[in-house]
């Protein structure tokens, strides 16, 4: 046994020394000698730090499998049923922990890409450096990655030594840890297993989320050098979630900001679209300007903001107000298409290049918003009363009386906007990331104001945003939202006459949103349950009505409190016999106690009836309630029956009172004379 242990120790020491040599050879040709020494000594010579490894019950953090959309859940279940491990990973876990609606739900699995593709009929493998499998299921696209991809890509970069494997750690723990250290930020390295309700954290990601801090897994300079797209991704995440940068990231972003010019145009467009179309456009532009990236991507607008920053004004620049109002209308679960924000940038550039009359801008936006020339002009003439204070975009205000002259002015503005869209595709505008296809799509938005503007009719009937069509880049919907944003900006708030327009759902109500999105038929109440609830409601209404009738009959016989006091005074003065006094007082007290008891029962039943009535049972419940023919509905439908019932009850009470009086008189005659109390009543 001792010989075996000694042999194992020698083998481990040899592996350790060989691994150090391989790592030094690997990094000597890519890094400076000093950096190589620091990396090898600080990162790779140390053993795996398992003190940061955490496994947390997701239910304690408010995350359950009910929050997972149905398409992602189906993908997870299919992979699990085939014997593979499958997790949610990255931004979706981060957003769920922050009570945000995730942009998408990415899946990672122990299956390789070919095995993933065999499990789903509609799927394809895309990507070269980090290939993934895109699964089309139930109208959604789920991106599924493999642990094997990252493992192959990281071969030679690090080797996990046998001596570094902590005691009690299994193979899947190492697979997850190895994948997590290749990710961009700590908050994106979380794994969620919905089958076990566990979240795996290997880099203090949950702690960074609590502190709202963005931190890289390796030194930021090295991370951004490996992939400069992480700079844009970090800005996007920080802008949307309100995160702060650590000093390491702040320094690296300032140093490597120019490296984004090496990125592909499509990648730049994708990252900018994520920034500006998902509800964080204003904050994203501020961060791009802070790290000198706006000068590279949009030099004209960067110069405009620098010029506005030198002025002391109470209001924000018009460009920032436009994107502020855009953020109010879109979110991660209801994004816009790139044509919307490119159109906004072009519109603003046209106003700065050639300032326009405020009334012309009102009509321009109103026609896009209403979808009709006449309605747009009428709306602008009625609402454009207050001055618009944006300099240099607005030159003044003068209401143009002639519609023909007004149409010419609006057409000229539309042509100017189209020219600015074309400028974004030229090298003089900075780093060109707007393609010719995007240029044509954006210019089509303003074609209706150039060609036969007076006959323009969009055909849109509702003033409610169709977010499905907006996300697909539908021209009619994009024009409508673009006009709405401009009107809100120049009017300083809510556009008058837009009562039907709903506001964006609260981004923090994740559970309600996802529960509504994932509602299953099996969770709806069955017809038997609906009938049971309706019958119970009918029963309570019947009891309520019967108690009400009984109380109305008895209340007429109850002697008021004042009369009881007068009787007691009269008894003392007239010296009634003790027997008669006891009979009269006990009868009064009985009636009073009975009335109080009925009042209490009535109030209790009223609360129960209201509670039952407040439950929304849907259309099926209403139909079932009609079949039960509850007295409450009959009262609502037939008010004449109420009067008939009241008359019957009043007649019955009068009859009972007469019988009672006759009985009392007969009793008095039997006692050979009238009582003193009867003489007192006649007075």
């Amino acid at each position: 046994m001792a010989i075996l242990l000694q042999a194992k120790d020698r083998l481990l020491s040899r592996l350790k020394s060989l691994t150090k040599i391989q790592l030094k050879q690997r990094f000597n040709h890519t890094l400076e000698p000093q950096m190589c020494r620091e990396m090898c000594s600080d990162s790779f010579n140390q053993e795996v730090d398992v003190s940061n490894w955490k496994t947390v019950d997701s239910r304690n953090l408010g995350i359950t499998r009910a929050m997972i959309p149905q398409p992602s859940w189906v993908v997870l279940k299919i992979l699990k049923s085939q014997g593979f491990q499958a997790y949610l990973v990255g931004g979706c876990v981060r957003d769920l922990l922050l009570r945000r609606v995730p942009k998408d739900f990415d899946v990672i699995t122990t299956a390789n890409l070919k095995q993933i593709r065999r499990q789903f009929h509609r799927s394809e493998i895309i990507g070269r450096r980090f290939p993934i499998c895109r699964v089309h299921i139930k109208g959604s696209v789920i991106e599924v990655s493999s642990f094997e991809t990252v493992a192959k890509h990281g071969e030679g970069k690090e080797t996990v030594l046998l001596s570094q494997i902590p005691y009690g750690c299994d193979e899947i723990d190492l697979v997850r840890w190895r994948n997590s250290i290749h990710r961009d930020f700590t908050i994106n390295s979380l794994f969620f297993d919905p089958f076990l309700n566990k979240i795996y954290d290997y880099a203090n990601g949950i702690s960074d989320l609590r502190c709202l801090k963005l931190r890289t897994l390796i030194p930021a300079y090295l991370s951004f050098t490996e992939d400069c797209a992480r700079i844009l991704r970090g800005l996007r995440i920080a802008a949307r979630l309100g995160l702060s940068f650590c000093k390491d990231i702040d320094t690296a972003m300032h140093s490597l900001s120019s490296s984004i010019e090496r990125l592909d145009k499509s990648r730049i467009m994708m990252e900018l679209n994520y920034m500006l179309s998902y509800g964080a456009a204003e904050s994203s532009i501020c961060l791009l300007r802070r790290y000198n990236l706006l000068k590279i991507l949009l030099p004209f607008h960067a110069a405009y903001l620098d010029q506005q920053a030198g002025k002391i004004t109470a209001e924000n620049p018009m460009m920032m107000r436009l994107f502020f109002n855009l953020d109010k209308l879109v979110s991660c679960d209801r994004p816009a298409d790139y044509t919307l924000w490119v159109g906004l940038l072009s519109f603003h550039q046209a106003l700065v290049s050639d300032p326009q009359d405020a009334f012309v801008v009102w009509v321009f936006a109103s026609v896009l918003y209403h979808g009709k020339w006449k309605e747009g002009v009428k709306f602008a003439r009625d609402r454009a009363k207050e001055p618009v204070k944006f300099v240099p975009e607005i030159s003044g205000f003068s209401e143009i009386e002639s519609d023909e002259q007004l149409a010419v002015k609006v057409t000229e503005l539309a042509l100017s906007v189209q020219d600015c869209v074309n400028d974004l595709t030229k090298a003089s505008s900075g780093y060109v990331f707007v393609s010719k296809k995007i240029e044509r799509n954006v210019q089509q938005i303003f074609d209706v104001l150039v060609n036969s503007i007076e006959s323009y009719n969009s055909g849109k009937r509702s003033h409610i945003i169709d977010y499905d069509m907006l996300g697909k880049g539908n021209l009619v919907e994009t024009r409508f939202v673009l006009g709405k944003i401009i009107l809100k900006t120049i009017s300083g708030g809510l556009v008058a006459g837009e009562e039907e327009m709903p506001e964006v759902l609260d981004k923090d109500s994740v559970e309600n949103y996802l529960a509504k999105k994932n509602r299953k038929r099996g969770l709806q109440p069955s017809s038997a349950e609906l009938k049971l609830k309706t019958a119970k409601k009918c029963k309570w209404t019947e009891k309520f009505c019967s108690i009400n009738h009984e109380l109305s009959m008895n209340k007429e016989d109850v002697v008021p409190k004042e009369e009881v006091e007068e009787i007691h005074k009269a008894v003392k003065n007239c010296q009634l016999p003790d027997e008669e006094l006891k009979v009269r007082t006990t009868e009064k007290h009985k009636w009073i106690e009975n009335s109080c008891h009925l009042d209490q029962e009535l109030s209790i039943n009223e609360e129960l009836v209201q509670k039952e009535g407040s439950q929304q049972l849907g259309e099926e419940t209403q139909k079932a309630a009609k079949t039960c023919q509850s007295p409450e509905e009959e009262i609502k439908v037939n008010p004449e029956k109420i009067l008939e019932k009241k008359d019957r009850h009043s007649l019955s009470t009068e009859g009972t009172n007469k019988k009672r009086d006759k009985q009392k008189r007969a009793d008095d005659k039997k006692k050979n004379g009238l009582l003193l109390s009867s003489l007192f009543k006649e007075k």
Side-chain angles (χ1 to χ4, degrees):
M1 192 68 175
I3 296 172
L4 288 173
L5 291 173
Q6 289 177 1
K8 184 179 179 182
D9 291 338
R10 288 196 208 98
L11 177 63
L12 292 177
S13 62
R14 287 182 181 179
L15 284 172
K16 192 171 184 178
S17 60
L18 286 172
T19 305
K20 289 180 181 178
I21 294 170
Q22 288 177 357
L23 288 172
K24 288 181 181 179
Q25 292 175 351
R26 176 73 177 174
F27 282 89
N28 273 339
H29 70 280
T30 57
L31 301 174
E32 296 292 332
Q34 180 64 25
M35 185 179 290
C36 176
R37 285 194 295 270
E38 291 176 359
M39 285 294 300
C40 291
S41 60
D42 294 342
S43 300
F44 295 99
N45 287 351
Q46 295 178 359
E47 293 187 355
V48 179
D49 184 10
V50 297
S51 62
N52 294 332
W53 292 18
K54 297 180 182 66
T55 302
V56 185
D57 192 329
S58 63
R59 292 167 294 188
N60 295 336
L61 300 175
I63 300 178
T64 61
R65 68 180 65 177
M67 293 180 172
I68 304 174
Q70 194 65 15
S72 301
W73 178 243
V74 171
V75 172
L76 288 166
K77 284 200 299 184
I78 290 174
L79 291 171
K80 186 74 172 178
S81 65
Q82 297 301 315
F84 303 109
Q85 296 292 328
Y87 309 90
L88 290 177
V89 67
C92 61
V93 185
R94 173 200 69 209
D95 290 346
L96 289 174
L97 286 169
L98 292 175
R99 297 294 184 273
R100 300 291 187 111
V101 177
K103 179 175 66 69
D104 45 32
F105 287 78
D106 294 335
V107 176
I108 191 167
T109 178
T110 52
N112 59 44
L113 294 178
K114 292 182 179 179
Q115 290 172 329
I116 296 169
R117 190 172 59 181
R118 281 199 294 267
Q119 304 302 322
F120 304 97
H121 299 294
R122 297 180 58 204
S123 61
E124 72 270 5
I125 298 173
I126 61 170
R128 289 185 235 174
R129 189 181 178 193
F130 289 100
I132 61 172
C133 187
R134 297 183 64 185
V135 178
H136 299 263
I137 185 168
K138 295 192 174 183
S140 301
V141 179
I142 309 300
E143 294 185 356
V144 184
S145 58
S146 173
F147 284 110
E148 186 182 85
T149 303
V150 176
K152 286 182 178 179
H153 185 74
E155 276 183 6
K157 284 191 175 180
E158 81 288 321
T159 304
V160 180
L161 301 177
L162 296 175
S163 61
Q164 294 178 337
I165 301 176
Y167 179 75
C169 176
D170 56 7
E171 183 181 353
I172 191 63
D173 264 323
L174 288 175
V175 171
R176 288 192 297 258
W177 169 77
R178 190 174 182 178
N179 183 272
S180 69
I181 63 175
H182 285 90
R183 295 190 171 270
D184 48 8
F185 303 104
T186 57
I187 59 175
N188 289 342
S189 64
L190 302 170
F191 299 88
F192 173 38
D193 186 346
F195 303 99
L196 300 177
N197 291 312
K198 289 183 179 180
I199 294 177
Y200 301 96
D201 181 9
Y202 299 98
N204 277 333
I206 296 177
S207 177
D208 289 341
L209 277 178
R210 286 173 179 160
C211 300
L212 295 178
K213 180 77 73 177
L214 191 68
R215 193 165 54 86
T216 53
L217 283 135
I218 59 176
Y221 194 93
L222 180 61
S223 177
F224 296 157
T225 304
E226 283 185 359
D227 185 4
C228 57
R230 290 175 178 174
I231 297 175
L232 295 176
R233 197 180 310 136
L235 291 175
R236 165 167 56 91
I237 294 170
R240 189 169 75 87
L241 303 177
L243 305 179
S244 60
F245 296 131
C246 62
K247 189 177 180 180
D248 187 26
I249 290 181
D250 185 74
T251 305
M253 281 188 174
H254 278 295
S255 302
L256 300 173
S257 58
S258 60
S259 63
I260 65 167
E261 296 183 18
R262 300 199 302 264
L263 290 174
D264 188 65
K265 293 180 182 179
S266 59
R267 183 63 183 273
I268 290 276
M269 192 66 192
M270 182 187 75
E271 291 293 342
L272 279 180
N273 189 52
Y274 285 153
M275 288 183 184
L276 304 180
S277 294
Y278 286 76
E282 185 187 17
S283 54
S284 296
I285 291 173
C286 290
L287 287 177
L288 287 171
R289 181 169 174 264
R290 176 181 171 184
Y291 291 98
N292 300 319
L293 293 169
L294 198 63
K295 291 181 180 179
I296 299 172
L297 301 174
L298 299 167
F300 181 90
H301 299 87
Y304 163 81
L305 291 176
D306 290 341
Q307 183 184 10
Q308 292 293 315
K311 298 179 181 179
I312 302 175
T313 56
E315 294 189 5
N316 289 333
M318 184 178 183
M319 174 181 165
M320 302 307 290
R321 293 294 301 176
L322 286 168
F323 283 99
F324 170 78
N325 288 315
L326 170 63
D327 290 341
K328 281 186 169 183
L329 299 177
V330 297
S331 60
C332 267
D333 56 305
R334 299 193 293 185
D337 187 63
Y338 61 84
T339 53
L340 182 57
W341 60 266
V342 174
L344 277 176
L345 288 173
S346 304
F347 166 75
H348 179 261
Q349 184 173 336
L351 290 183
V352 176
S353 303
D354 184 16
Q356 297 289 324
D357 186 88
F359 187 63
V360 175
V361 178
W362 265 96
V363 176
F364 178 89
S366 183
V367 172
L368 290 175
Y369 173 74
H370 288 91
K372 295 178 182 178
W373 168 254
K374 291 184 179 179
E375 287 189 12
V377 173
K378 184 178 181 302
F379 181 86
R381 292 191 187 279
D382 293 340
R383 309 294 179 183
K385 304 298 180 183
E386 298 181 0
V388 181
K389 299 178 182 179
F390 287 116
V391 179
E393 294 88 353
I394 304 299
S395 60
F397 181 84
S398 59
E399 190 170 352
I400 303 172
E401 296 182 359
S402 171
D403 285 359
E404 290 78 10
Q405 187 179 359
L406 189 60
V408 173
K409 293 284 185 182
V410 173
T411 300
E412 290 177 355
L413 177 56
L415 287 170
S416 178
V417 174
Q418 288 184 332
D419 290 340
C420 291
V421 177
N422 181 258
D423 290 342
L424 292 175
T425 63
K426 296 179 181 178
S428 58
S429 64
Y431 181 79
V432 179
F433 60 89
V434 178
S435 64
K436 289 293 183 181
K437 180 182 178 182
I438 295 174
E439 177 194 356
R440 289 192 298 270
N441 293 339
V442 177
Q443 285 183 342
Q444 287 179 4
I445 298 174
F446 306 99
D447 280 343
V448 295
L449 302 181
V450 176
N451 305 320
S452 62
I453 183 175
E454 296 185 16
S455 61
Y456 171 54
N457 185 352
S458 67
K460 183 177 174 63
R461 298 179 180 179
S462 173
H463 281 175
I464 298 175
I465 300 175
D466 186 340
Y467 283 96
D468 184 48
M469 301 302 293
L470 180 66
K472 294 177 180 178
N474 179 267
L475 289 176
V476 174
E477 207 64 37
T478 305
R479 289 189 194 108
F480 167 73
V481 177
L482 181 64
K484 180 175 181 177
I485 292 169
I486 299 172
L487 285 176
K488 278 194 169 189
T489 303
I490 61 178
S491 65
L494 186 69
V495 179
E498 59 166 357
E499 295 83 11
E500 297 180 13
M501 296 187 184
E503 292 298 327
V504 177
L505 290 174
D506 185 6
K507 294 179 183 177
D508 294 335
S509 59
V510 183
E511 293 187 8
N512 295 336
Y513 168 77
L514 292 174
K516 183 178 179 181
K517 193 174 181 179
N518 298 329
R519 189 173 293 154
K520 300 177 183 179
R521 293 181 181 178
L523 299 178
Q524 298 291 338
S526 61
S527 57
E529 290 176 349
L530 293 174
K531 289 180 180 179
L532 183 63
K533 288 182 179 180
T534 311
K536 190 176 180 181
K537 181 180 177 181
C538 296
K539 183 179 178 181
W540 279 114
T541 50
E542 288 175 2
K543 188 173 182 180
F544 168 73
C545 294
S546 63
I547 292 171
N548 193 13
H549 298 332
E550 186 177 355
L551 182 62
S552 63
M553 292 175 63
N554 292 328
K555 275 186 176 179
E556 296 181 4
D557 298 332
V558 174
V559 180
K561 230 176 184 180
E562 297 175 356
E563 188 176 343
V564 173
E565 291 176 358
E566 290 179 2
I567 292 172
H568 282 298
K569 289 179 182 179
V571 168
K572 289 180 181 179
N573 296 331
C574 299
Q575 296 179 356
L576 288 170
D578 292 338
E579 292 181 2
E580 186 180 357
L581 178 62
K582 289 179 182 179
V583 171
R584 299 292 295 177
T585 52
T586 51
E587 285 180 359
K588 308 300 179 185
H589 286 302
K590 282 181 181 179
W591 285 114
I592 292 170
E593 288 175 1
N594 190 19
S595 65
C596 294
H597 176 69
L598 289 171
D599 283 333
Q600 290 177 359
E601 190 173 356
L602 178 61
S603 63
I604 291 169
N605 285 289
E606 282 179 344
E607 291 177 1
L608 290 171
V609 171
Q610 288 175 0
K611 192 177 290 184
E612 289 290 329
S614 64
Q615 296 179 355
Q616 298 178 354
L617 300 177
E619 295 180 358
E620 295 182 4
T621 311
Q622 293 177 1
K623 292 178 181 179
K626 288 180 181 179
T627 58
C628 288
Q629 295 180 356
S630 63
E632 191 176 11
E633 292 181 354
E634 289 184 3
I635 291 170
K636 291 179 181 178
V637 178
N638 300 320
E640 296 178 359
K641 291 184 178 181
I642 299 173
L643 298 175
E644 292 177 5
K645 289 181 179 180
K646 285 184 177 180
D647 294 338
R648 291 174 187 172
H649 290 309
S650 61
L651 291 172
S652 63
T653 51
E654 288 178 4
T656 53
N657 289 336
K658 288 180 181 180
K659 289 180 180 179
R660 194 177 289 107
D661 292 338
K662 288 181 180 180
Q663 186 66 29
K664 287 180 181 178
R665 289 174 185 172
D667 293 338
D668 292 340
K669 288 180 181 180
K670 288 180 181 179
K671 292 182 179 180
N672 297 323
L674 295 172
L675 294 172
L676 291 173
S677 60
S678 62
L679 293 173
F680 177 77
K681 281 186 179 181
E682 288 178 0
K683 292 180 182 180

